[in-house]
Amino acid sequence: MALIVQKYGGSSVADADSIKRVAKRIVDTRRAGHDVVVAVSAMGDTTDELLELAAEVAPIPAPRELDMLLSSGERISMALLAMAIHSMGFEARSFTGSQAGMITTADHGAARIVDVTPVRLREALDEGAIVIVAGFQGFNRDTRDITTLGRGGSDTTAVALAAALDADVCEIYSDVDGIFTADPRVVPNARKLDVVSAEEMLELAANGAKVLYIRAVEYARRHGVMIHARSTFSSSVGTYVLGPGMTVPDGHKDAHKGEHAHKGEHMEEPIVAGVATDLSQAKITIIGVPDVPGKAAEIFKLVARSGANVDMIVQNVSAAATGRTDISFTLPKADATAALRALAADQDEVGFESLVHDDQIGKLSVVGAGMRTHSGVSATLFEALSVAGINIEMISTSEIRISVVVRGDDLAAAARVVHTAYGLDGDTEAVVYAGTGR
Amino acid sequence: MALIVQKYGGSSVADADSIKRVAKRIVDTRRAGHDVVVAVSAMGDTTDELLELAAEVAPIPAPRELDMLLSSGERISMALLAMAIHSMGFEARSFTGSQAGMITTADHGAARIVDVTPVRLREALDEGAIVIVAGFQGFNRDTRDITTLGRGGSDTTAVALAAALDADVCEIYSDVDGIFTADPRVVPNARKLDVVSAEEMLELAANGAKVLYIRAVEYARRHGVMIHARSTFSSSVGTYVLGPGMTVPDGHKDAHKGEHAHKGEHMEEPIVAGVATDLSQAKITIIGVPDVPGKAAEIFKLVARSGANVDMIVQNVSAAATGRTDISFTLPKADATAALRALAADQDEVGFESLVHDDQIGKLSVVGAGMRTHSGVSATLFEALSVAGINIEMISTSEIRISVVVRGDDLAAAARVVHTAYGLDGDTEAVVYAGTGR
């Protein structure tokens, strides 16, 4: 008998039939003897529809009211889910973010969790009920107003509940089977990982893997929550995201041994966990920057003030003859206009010659905790790309990751050759479901 | 500078444009220097759509969860309304039933208000904000669960807020201009009443008039709240519902004098305020009931236990030869099946001969506080119907009302001749808007 937190995204509860399917899944978990707490997102496109309505009545909706509006979405899905469970003969009770004790900062639309006081959830669990909690929302103690957590909010709700209730596992359901060695839509013979370390998962999520939100993974690692990423549409074991000292639960360990033991891949820690791809970034190159101390700082202060989130930076070797150099950096495509505008406005002061904007790039990242102790990992990457004739434009590394920027058109081919080079290819094609998992 | 509570129903906030129109109306009231508190219903058909979804996931939805579900509807409309007001440059804040301090019994789906503690509303008003409150909902202090008030809930929310905040007037907006001397769809030359007494309004509402809910009128009379029933689609003065000791506000009194003074009708209290029509009732006749003491009690105990709400009762004079009598009663059509089943199940014990069910009846009621002191009021009614050749099947009276049951097909004609007989006809046809006003 364990306490299991489950999270279901909007596509898992998009209509009445989906809700009944999810209800059955929850009831099955209860029948197996476990206590169950569920965090649920708004149905399908509800949030987008509400945002559209808001845009119709007000050009810039008041943030407090926008949160009041959006928080109604989970209220609908959670009440329906509780009813569906009820009609299967099980006791279920739904709770809003504030009823669940999800206490946040007052930053409407992007509130951070500051405390979780799940008194009412504990009471309901003690009374034998299945607990359903509205994902994505909380409330602020000072203003007594309702808040929403922003992107990845429901995943974060689930992980925060798992931490506060000391749950055995936090199951994050989506429309994919778990975490793959690469995006199966890019690399068809990508394999599902049975286990990934939290730090690897953070690098994968930060570099383009979309199954889990980095914010939820961070919260889980900090609070010692074990995440199990799995599919709403199958009952097979997904991927366990393990923090320091965690091990896969007994039952599931056996299952995966039976499945994969012949490959011998779990005898020692694999060097590379996976290959992440990301087409969402743009590159800005600042040409002819005076090669004097403090120029880089000046430039990136300007960029930061424009609100842009800089990822990779490369400063070319200075050409001695001119005393000038070029600086390139990548950032989310959506941030590029603001950054370009900020730089152009101060061109004379900074003293650079021109700006080049390039939104046709792709980023490929190889992630693996094993890299730390294995030499030659980057050599494998560069050789594979070189053989395939793919040009590397930028490189950045962390202790457990190497990222390269290539042409966007080359990204899929690059991912496939690198995936093969690290011996990650599976025997069969991965199953890809329609939809987005959110 | 007054404190005005306004209530807008679902058809008044059915889409973005309607919401903006209502927002403008609220802002205009604020601009006139008044404090404004608004109770709002869910948008258009939202409640019906949510009920449909609930029926899809569970045959008999859990009442607590149904209230959680339905309460999301007002959350959407009130947040959008607050945003729309905000974008017109005025400060507005929305509050859920529980944030507004609307404390109720725990009867999900039909909760009664037990206390109103509008601390947060007072704070917001003191800070100069327009206050928007979710109609139809509250919460229970013991279970800490969200409740809904059932039919007429939003009207009742508005009146309860007006009472708790000691508002000057509670304006109930719908798609009709106010209270009419008869339903304008039945009697085309019905006149709008400038004033109606609360006790007349109660009788009118209880007997088929649909503009105000009896529950809200009751609450208003008990707590001394002045209701002003008026149209969302025009700025003209509607109908004031006055409790004991209340008078029409000065500005409005002048306006209506200018409009109607030539008719001289406000010089003394009119005898009859209006004619109400009701096609929602059915009649059950129990034939051959043994004429012994206690039989009627036995029968109506059975009917009450079936959940039916009995309205009129007529017991025929007993036929001495048989020692048996017939008893007829009316009740809402929806309650008839349960009542018939309950009676049939105990036929042998009660000892009646047979049951006749008739759902083709219509009820006409003449309401007027002046009846109390004027003789001949009922004679006018009976003569008018007799001249028109309309047969009366049942009669019931109160101090300020006479109701008769006629064939349903005769009801409209009956209403017209009676309306004329009491001198209620106006000079022009009343304007009828589409929609339902809820």
Side-chain angles (χ1 to χ4, degrees):
Chain A
M1 158 116 182
L3 171 56
I4 296 176
V5 173
Q6 301 185 332
K7 180 260 171 176
Y8 295 95
S11 64
S12 300
V13 292
D15 53 29
D17 284 341
S18 313
I19 289 172
K20 284 194 267 189
R21 194 186 312 126
V22 166
K24 191 180 171 308
R25 183 142 209 150
I26 294 167
V27 163
D28 286 347
T29 311
R30 183 83 188 93
R31 275 213 183 94
H34 304 303
D35 280 338
V36 190
V37 173
V38 176
V40 67
S41 301
M43 293 172 72
D45 301 325
T46 307
T47 303
D48 289 340
E49 286 162 17
L50 291 174
L51 283 170
E52 219 166 277
L53 264 176
E56 280 178 57
V57 300
I60 305 166
R64 176 190 185 274
E65 300 302 329
L66 200 56
D67 278 0
M68 182 69 93
L69 179 74
L70 295 181
S71 67
S72 67
E74 288 81 29
R75 233 177 150 96
I76 293 172
S77 54
M78 75 178 184
L80 291 170
L81 188 53
M83 285 175 198
I85 293 170
H86 221 265
S87 80
M88 292 174 182
F90 284 75
E91 171 69 8
R93 246 170 274 169
S94 69
F95 295 94
T96 63
S98 62
Q99 289 177 336
M102 196 65 62
I103 297 155
T104 73
T105 61
D107 308 306
H108 288 292
R112 312 285 309 178
I113 295 170
V114 294
D115 197 5
V116 183
T117 55
V119 183
R120 295 191 64 179
L121 310 192
R122 283 242 184 256
E123 284 172 12
L125 288 172
D126 289 347
E127 288 164 32
I130 292 166
V131 167
I132 318 286
V133 177
F136 181 68
Q137 59 180 250
F139 82 109
N140 179 264
R141 260 185 191 143
D142 299 326
T143 64
R144 289 165 298 169
D145 284 335
I146 285 140
T147 55
T148 65
L149 307 180
R151 271 181 69 80
S154 292
D155 283 11
T156 310
T157 298
V159 170
L161 288 173
L165 293 165
D166 199 19
D168 296 272
V169 65
C170 179
E171 299 181 340
I172 308 265
Y173 286 86
S174 71
D175 49 12
V176 295
D177 277 337
I179 312 299
F180 282 74
T181 51
D183 183 340
R185 282 163 297 194
V186 176
V187 181
N189 55 356
R191 272 187 302 111
K192 180 179 71 71
L193 293 162
D194 297 312
V195 169
V196 67
S197 74
E199 60 176 342
E200 286 169 334
M201 190 65 237
L202 281 175
E203 290 281 9
L204 287 170
N207 289 285
K210 290 199 184 64
V211 178
L212 293 176
Y213 278 89
I214 186 164
R215 180 174 173 192
V217 178
E218 266 174 356
Y219 198 107
R221 186 174 62 163
R222 200 173 320 125
H223 293 86
V225 172
M226 188 194 298
I227 290 177
H228 181 192
R230 57 193 306 197
S231 165
T232 317
F233 303 102
S234 91
S235 60
S236 61
V237 173
T239 303
Y240 283 93
V241 182
L242 301 181
M246 290 182 195
T247 53
V248 176
D250 274 350
H252 286 176
K253 209 189 289 171
D254 289 342
H256 100 247
K257 258 192 194 153
E259 231 176 83
H260 295 296
H262 63 282
K263 288 187 188 150
E265 72 199 18
H266 298 287
M267 296 300 106
E268 58 179 323
E269 200 180 9
I271 298 168
V272 167
V275 177
T277 48
D278 185 359
L279 279 168
S280 71
Q281 303 244 325
K283 183 171 75 170
I284 291 175
T285 303
I286 309 165
I287 293 176
V289 180
D291 196 8
V292 295
K295 275 294 157 194
E298 204 179 325
I299 284 168
F300 289 106
K301 210 183 284 174
L302 279 175
V303 174
R305 240 184 261 142
S306 81
N309 226 327
V310 170
D311 180 21
M312 296 166 74
I313 301 174
V314 171
Q315 176 163 353
N316 295 353
V317 177
S318 170
T322 61
R324 291 180 176 267
T325 183
D326 300 343
I327 297 179
S328 295
F329 62 93
T330 65
L331 75 180
K333 278 178 182 163
D335 294 350
T337 308
L340 286 167
R341 205 169 286 159
L343 288 168
D346 279 16
Q347 176 162 8
D348 292 346
E349 227 173 296
V350 180
F352 62 86
E353 286 164 3
S354 61
L355 292 171
V356 178
H357 174 223
D358 177 0
D359 63 359
Q360 299 296 313
I361 63 166
K363 185 172 72 163
L364 179 143
S365 302
V366 176
V367 173
M371 286 185 193
R372 239 188 303 252
T373 51
H374 284 76
S375 55
V377 176
S378 53
T380 303
L381 171 65
F382 301 146
E383 185 171 332
L385 292 176
S386 156
V387 166
I390 294 166
N391 192 36
I392 298 172
E393 303 186 6
M394 296 171 84
I395 301 172
S396 99
T397 58
S398 82
E399 227 190 328
I400 65 165
R401 173 186 54 82
I402 313 168
S403 296
V404 295
V405 166
V406 298
R407 282 295 88 201
D409 289 343
D410 289 340
L411 187 63
R416 283 191 289 267
V417 298
V418 170
H419 197 263
T420 303
Y422 285 109
L424 293 171
D425 290 353
D427 302 333
T428 54
E429 293 214 353
V431 181
V432 182
Y433 302 97
T436 66
R438 288 297 308 159
Chain B
M1 159 117 179
L3 171 56
I4 296 177
V5 173
Q6 301 186 330
K7 179 259 171 177
Y8 295 94
S11 64
S12 299
V13 292
D15 53 30
D17 284 339
S18 313
I19 289 171
K20 284 193 267 189
R21 194 185 312 127
V22 166
K24 190 180 170 308
R25 186 149 204 141
I26 295 167
V27 164
D28 286 345
T29 312
R30 185 85 187 91
R31 276 213 183 95
H34 304 303
D35 279 340
V36 191
V37 174
V38 176
V40 67
S41 301
M43 292 171 73
D45 302 325
T46 308
T47 303
D48 288 339
E49 286 162 18
L50 291 173
L51 283 171
E52 218 167 278
L53 264 175
E56 280 178 58
V57 300
I60 306 166
R64 176 191 186 275
E65 300 303 330
L66 200 55
D67 277 0
M68 183 70 94
L69 179 73
L70 294 182
S71 66
S72 66
E74 288 80 30
R75 233 177 150 96
I76 293 171
S77 54
M78 73 178 185
L80 291 170
L81 188 53
M83 285 174 197
I85 293 170
H86 221 265
S87 79
M88 293 175 181
F90 284 76
E91 170 68 8
R93 245 170 272 168
S94 69
F95 296 95
T96 63
S98 62
Q99 289 177 335
M102 196 64 62
I103 297 155
T104 73
T105 60
D107 307 306
H108 287 293
R112 313 285 308 180
I113 296 170
V114 295
D115 197 4
V116 183
T117 55
V119 184
R120 294 191 65 180
L121 310 192
R122 284 239 183 259
E123 284 172 12
L125 288 172
D126 289 347
E127 288 164 32
I130 292 166
V131 166
I132 316 287
V133 178
F136 180 69
Q137 60 181 250
F139 83 108
N140 180 264
R141 259 184 190 142
D142 300 327
T143 63
R144 287 165 298 169
D145 284 335
I146 285 141
T147 56
T148 65
L149 307 180
R151 271 180 70 80
S154 292
D155 283 11
T156 310
T157 299
V159 171
L161 289 173
L165 294 165
D166 199 19
D168 294 273
V169 63
C170 179
E171 298 181 339
I172 309 265
Y173 286 86
S174 70
D175 47 15
V176 292
D177 276 338
I179 313 300
F180 281 75
T181 52
D183 183 339
R185 282 163 298 193
V186 176
V187 181
N189 54 356
R191 272 186 302 112
K192 181 178 72 71
L193 293 162
D194 297 312
V195 169
V196 68
S197 75
E199 61 174 344
E200 287 169 334
M201 190 64 236
L202 281 174
E203 289 282 8
L204 288 170
N207 289 285
K210 292 201 181 63
V211 177
L212 292 176
Y213 277 91
I214 185 164
R215 182 175 174 190
V217 178
E218 267 175 355
Y219 199 107
R221 187 175 59 162
R222 200 173 318 125
H223 293 85
V225 172
M226 189 194 298
I227 291 177
H228 182 192
R230 58 193 305 194
S231 165
T232 317
F233 303 103
S234 90
S235 60
S236 61
V237 173
T239 303
Y240 282 94
V241 183
L242 301 181
M246 291 182 194
T247 53
V248 175
D250 274 349
H252 286 178
K253 209 189 288 171
D254 289 344
H256 100 247
K257 260 191 193 151
E259 231 175 81
H260 293 297
H262 62 282
K263 288 188 188 149
E265 70 199 21
H266 297 287
M267 295 300 105
E268 58 180 324
E269 200 179 9
I271 299 167
V272 167
V275 176
T277 48
D278 185 359
L279 279 168
S280 71
Q281 302 245 325
K283 182 171 76 168
I284 291 175
T285 303
I286 310 164
I287 293 175
V289 179
D291 195 7
V292 294
K295 274 296 157 194
E298 203 178 327
I299 284 167
F300 289 105
K301 210 183 284 173
L302 280 174
V303 175
R305 241 184 261 142
S306 80
N309 226 327
V310 170
D311 180 20
M312 296 165 73
I313 300 175
V314 170
Q315 177 164 351
N316 294 355
V317 176
S318 170
T322 61
R324 288 179 178 272
T325 185
D326 300 344
I327 296 179
S328 294
F329 62 94
T330 64
L331 76 181
K333 277 178 182 164
D335 293 350
T337 308
L340 287 167
R341 205 170 284 159
L343 288 167
D346 279 16
Q347 176 164 8
D348 292 345
E349 229 172 296
V350 179
F352 64 85
E353 286 164 3
S354 62
L355 291 171
V356 177
H357 174 224
D358 177 0
D359 61 359
Q360 299 298 312
I361 64 164
K363 186 171 70 162
L364 178 143
S365 303
V366 176
V367 174
M371 284 186 195
R372 239 191 302 254
T373 51
H374 283 76
S375 55
V377 176
S378 54
T380 304
L381 171 66
F382 299 145
E383 185 172 332
L385 292 176
S386 158
V387 167
I390 294 165
N391 192 37
I392 298 171
E393 303 186 8
M394 295 171 84
I395 302 172
S396 99
T397 59
S398 82
E399 228 190 326
I400 64 163
R401 174 185 53 82
I402 312 167
S403 296
V404 294
V405 167
V406 298
R407 282 295 87 202
D409 288 344
D410 290 340
L411 188 63
R416 284 191 290 267
V417 298
V418 170
H419 197 263
T420 304
Y422 286 108
L424 294 170
D425 290 354
D427 303 332
T428 53
E429 294 214 352
V431 182
V432 182
Y433 301 97
T436 65
R438 289 295 310 156

